[in-house]
């Protein structure tokens, strides 16, 4: 963790991909808003400036403080970062006369530059900007061009500062990973030693130092994140970890019992708490998505507060928060990021709860969580379990929540997920679930008119949930599943399949 990369975020939709590409090189990276004060620059060996939806020529242009970075640490500017380093250091950036979006090819490369070792002319890159660099400052050297972009890359003489107008982090830039490796390993000298095993070692050591002999209470969900967090904490503090699995009444069919059974034999101290009635009572009449999330999060915390008082001297609440949760929930005042949706396990604790928070997985992505779990010997079937939202079926029932709607959706969900397993499709899907829609539609059953609920099935493929695409499930599977749902779930007479990608849609409907 001594060899870390800082990514300064200017609000680009691709910033998270930069972090992922860097980590795929076994180099640890962190994202911070460009104006954040929550990091110490001495902790990093290299810095990357992200792209941005803003123009450097606008009054709203983000202005980072680079006084402790530029010329002192290896620096790579990407897109907006490249334009910023040119425009505000005596170069010129103006509106492009040609369309600079999509695929392009490098027509010129300075092969003497380490940044382009192993990369040749003709290599495909991905452009996404409306401004272009018209002229470079006097001590800047152009080192790559495309047919339409003269200053596609440059280096500042006398510094380990490089900039590229294209996006190396996206799949369409064919040598993007090679370019990042050249910058981070050959230019910045970082070690490629950030692996699942090293993460376990450093995290366990950090947990021991942070928690000491204190007792910790952790909320298990049966999913990958909370389970991996529990095993890490168990390695660090052993018997001082107290795990609680709460039935919020919004779980999948028979999940409360099956999850408790799943943890038998893992050596974890697990207690089941059935709070279904409490959650459903609090949710009564609430139909706003954010309102439901906040109620579920509040009651979740209240239940844990009750349980924590039953454990003598417990001081910490552990959560399975992962990096996408943090990224989607945080919006810095005056910063570039927008809050997509709130997450029930992000944002701290209310004043009445006197527990401190510990989040072992806060800075890693979902696929990294699975690799960490595998390195610790956690069962492959558990690690392969689809993600399930913390608010559970509460955000898959659009509109208000009732016990009957929960029962209905549980039956639909069970038919869908069991069918995926039966057809050997489950492992080809990253996440699947059903949504109960707040509309009735006319149907015909046995020559009689029905006016019942419509459900939407959703199955997506993804790596970490930041982006996702719908899965092209076989028509025969969808036909069989639809028939089975309508014939077996009272109150449902119509089934539709969601073919929206993320973006623009989210994976969950609420």
């Amino acid at each position: 963790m001594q060899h870390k990369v800082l990514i300064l975020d200017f609000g680009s939709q691709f910033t998270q991909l930069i972090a992922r590409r860097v980590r795929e090189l076994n180099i640890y990276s962190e994202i911070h808003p460009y104006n954040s004060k929550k990091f110490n620059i001495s902790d990093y060996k290299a810095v990357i400036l992200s792209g941005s939806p803003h123009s450097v020529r606008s009054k709203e242009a983000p202005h980072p403080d680079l006084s402790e970075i530029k010329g002192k640490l290896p620096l790579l500017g990407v897109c907006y970062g490249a334009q910023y380093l040119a425009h505000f250091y005596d170069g010129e950036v103006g509106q492009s006369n040609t369309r600079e979006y999509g695929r392009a090819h490098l027509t010129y490369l300075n092969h003497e530059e380490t940044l382009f070792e192993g990369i040749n002319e003709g290599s495909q890159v991905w452009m996404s900007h409306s401004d272009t660099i018209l002229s470079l400052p006097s001590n800047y050297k152009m080192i790559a061009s495309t047919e339409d972009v003269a200053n596609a890359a440059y280096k500042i003489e006398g510094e380990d500062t490089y900039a590229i107008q294209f996006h190396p982090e996206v799949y369409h830039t064919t040598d993007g990973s090679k370019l990042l490796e050249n910058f981070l390993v050959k230019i910045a000298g970082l070690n490629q030693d950030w692996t699942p095993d090293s993460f376990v070692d450093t995290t366990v050591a950090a947990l021991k130092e942070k928690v000491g002999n204190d007792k910790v209470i952790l909320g298990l969900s049966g999913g990958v994140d909370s389970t991996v967090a529990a095993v890490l904490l168990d390695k660090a503090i052993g018997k001082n970890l107290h795990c609680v699995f709460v039935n919020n009444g919004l779980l999948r069919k028979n999940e409360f019992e099956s999850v408790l059974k799943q943890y038998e034999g893992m050596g974890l101290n697990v207690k089941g708490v059935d709070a279904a009635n409490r959650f459903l009572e609090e949710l009564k009449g609430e139909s706003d998505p954010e309102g439901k999330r906040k109620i579920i999060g509040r009651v979740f915390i209240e239940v844990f507060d009750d349980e924590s008082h039953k454990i003598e001297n417990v001081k910490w609440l552990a959560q399975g928060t992962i990096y996408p949760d943090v990224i989607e929930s945080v919006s810095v005042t005056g910063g570039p990021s927008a809050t997509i949706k709130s997450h029930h396990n992000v944002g701290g604790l209310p004043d009445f709860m006197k527990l401190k928070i510990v989040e072992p997985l806060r800075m890693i992505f979902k696929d990294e969580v699975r690799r960490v779990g595998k390195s610790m010997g956690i069962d492959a079937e558990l690690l392969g379990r689809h993600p399930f939202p913390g608010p559970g079926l509460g955000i898959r029932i659009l509109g208000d929540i009732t016990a009957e709607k929960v029962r209905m959706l549980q039956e639909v969900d069970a038919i869908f997920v069991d069918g995926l397993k039966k057809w050997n499709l489950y492992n080809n899907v990253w996440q699947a679930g059903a949504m109960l829609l707040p509309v009735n539609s006319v149907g015909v059953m046995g020559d009689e008119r029905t006016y019942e609920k419509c459900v939407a099935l959703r199955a997506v493929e993804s790596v970490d949930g930041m982006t996702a695409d719908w899965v092209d499930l076989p028509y025969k599977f969808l036909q069989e599943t639809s028939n089975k749902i309508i014939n077996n779930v009272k109150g449902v007479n119509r089934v539709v399949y969601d073919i929206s990608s993320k973006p623009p849609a989210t994976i969950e409907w609420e």
Side-chain angles (χ1 to χ4, degrees), residues 305-377:
D305 189 44
D306 293 343
E307 293 302 316
S308 69
H309 283 98
K310 299 175 185 178
I311 304 170
E312 189 177 354
N313 295 325
V314 64
K315 294 183 179 179
W316 296 85
L317 171 65
Q319 297 187 142
T321 308
I322 62 173
Y323 212 10
D325 298 340
V326 177
I327 294 168
E328 287 194 342
S329 293
V330 175
S331 179
V332 179
T333 301
S337 300
T339 299
I340 306 300
K341 58 189 176 185
S342 64
H343 285 263
H344 77 289
N345 57 344
V346 178
L349 296 172
D351 292 338
F352 72 82
M353 195 170 186
K354 305 305 179 184
L355 298 180
K356 295 176 285 186
I357 289 181
V358 58
E359 297 169 316
L361 309 177
R362 184 178 178 86
M363 298 304 290
I364 63 176
F365 292 95
K366 175 70 76 173
D367 58 316
E368 294 169 334
V369 175
R370 287 196 169 99
R371 290 199 291 270
V372 168
K374 182 179 179 181
S375 74
M376 295 191 296

Side-chain angles (χ1 to χ4, degrees), residues 3 27 45-46 74 181-192:
H3 284 221
I27 298 171
K45 289 199 68 174
E181 185 175 23
N182 286 342
F183 172 69
L184 295 170
V185 178
K186 296 181 178 180
I187 294 172
L190 281 96
N191 295 333
Q192 294 176 277

